[in-house]
Amino acid sequence: MKPIFLELRHLKTLIALKETGSVSLAAKRIYLTQSALSHQIKLLEDQYGLTLFERKTQPLHFTAAGERLIKLAYDILPKVVEAELDLVRVKEGDAGQLRIAVECHTCFDWLMPAMDSFRQSWPLVELDIVSGFHTDTLGLLLTHRADWAIVSEIEETAGIVHQPLFAYEMVGICSKDHPLANKELWRAEDFADETLITYPVPDDMLDLLRKVLYPAGINPARRTSELTIAIIQLVASKRGIAALPYWAVLPYLERGYVVARKITQNGLQSELYAAVRENDVRTAFMQDFFHTVKSQSFSTLPGLSVLD
């Protein structure tokens, strides 16, 4: 029998491949070039004389051998992480405060599971969400009214560090019998004579307006709602159309409540970043919260892409 060849980096690579379904996206996620990742997998396959996944499927389809190693990765890596956290707690302590501010209405869909997971590892960290929707999350950080913020743009600010979470696609949604349901691709002019239903936030925080409509000189009629489900209901009843994250509307698409369409030829991409005070960014539980949020998001939300 050959000597044991597996290393933790191999297991991390396999999980990245499993969760992204793509060699290129997995490479970005673990900060390797695509050729370096492919070389690493090729060495694994040569070691065992087995193919781990089929190269031409999208998403990747793993063989029985690949699935066995992925199972091993999911068994072992959490234990390694737990042991490392124990060592960090011994060195730095395990208590603190982490108050979170958000500027996106759909953040709670994926943030709450990540918070639950984090609490299991850091039970003595006081974890809380700053109440209300905030348009000046960096101000909350600088005045120490929040410790960790989710923002959609990098705004260079002294004393603040931004860490990339993920990118995602915004899709246009309309009722099943709306005229726009017959178009596979929506362009800026398709919104001109429609009522656009949005969250009640400033226009410069809406990527559809900022990136697509305003550059084309289009400013449609507007209606607002605080809740995603309320927006879905308004759209389904033909009160207007909307643009929402694909992962947020997917459950309603599967039930046939509304239909979703691509916005512009390249798709409308939005981004999310974590913003933290520079003095706190290396705090152990801050780092672990960032990695927990990022990992949970990629493993549970469909259609995410790596944000450089």
Side-chain angles (χ1 to χ4, degrees), residues 83-138:
E84 289 178 335
L85 287 176
D86 287 341
L87 296 178
V88 168
R89 293 186 191 102
V90 170
K91 180 181 178 181
E92 299 186 13
D94 59 357
Q97 186 177 50
L98 207 171
R99 296 161 298 173
I100 303 163
V102 300
E103 65 171 36
C104 64
H105 284 73
T106 54
C107 288
F108 298 101
D109 294 343
W110 49 266
L111 184 59
M112 298 305 290
M115 291 174 65
D116 289 340
S117 176
F118 177 82
R119 285 190 184 97
Q120 296 177 30
S121 299
W122 300 89
L124 297 184
V125 172
E126 184 181 342
L127 189 62
D128 197 9
I129 294 178
V130 180
S131 62
F133 175 81
H134 302 282
T135 58
D136 184 22
T137 51
L138 298 188

Side-chain angles (χ1 to χ4, degrees), residues 102-205:
V102 300
E103 65 171 36
C104 64
H105 284 73
T106 54
C107 288
F108 298 101
D109 294 343
W110 49 266
L111 184 59
M112 298 305 290
M115 291 174 65
D116 289 340
S117 176
F118 177 82
R119 285 190 184 97
Q120 296 177 30
S121 299
W122 300 89
L124 297 184
V125 172
E126 184 181 342
L127 189 62
D128 197 9
I129 294 178
V130 180
S131 62
F133 175 81
H134 302 282
T135 58
D136 184 22
T137 51
L138 298 188
L140 294 176
L141 292 176
L142 291 171
T143 55
H144 290 261
R145 288 178 290 164
D147 308 295
W148 201 87
I150 300 170
V151 299
S152 56
E153 291 184 276
I154 294 179
E155 182 181 338
E156 297 293 346
T157 304
I160 299 295
V161 173
H162 292 81
Q163 299 172 297
L165 287 169
F166 52 80
Y168 59 95
E169 184 176 6
M170 298 283 289
V171 293
I173 60 170
C174 65
S175 64
K176 293 181 289 185
D177 54 352
H178 192 286
L180 285 176
N182 297 319
K183 299 190 67 172
E184 292 300 317
L185 179 70
W186 294 1
R187 303 185 185 280
E189 55 268 24
D190 292 318
F191 291 84
D193 298 323
E194 302 291 337
T195 296
L196 180 63
I197 305 171
T198 72
Y199 298 109
V201 300
D203 286 358
D204 60 4
M205 296 181 68

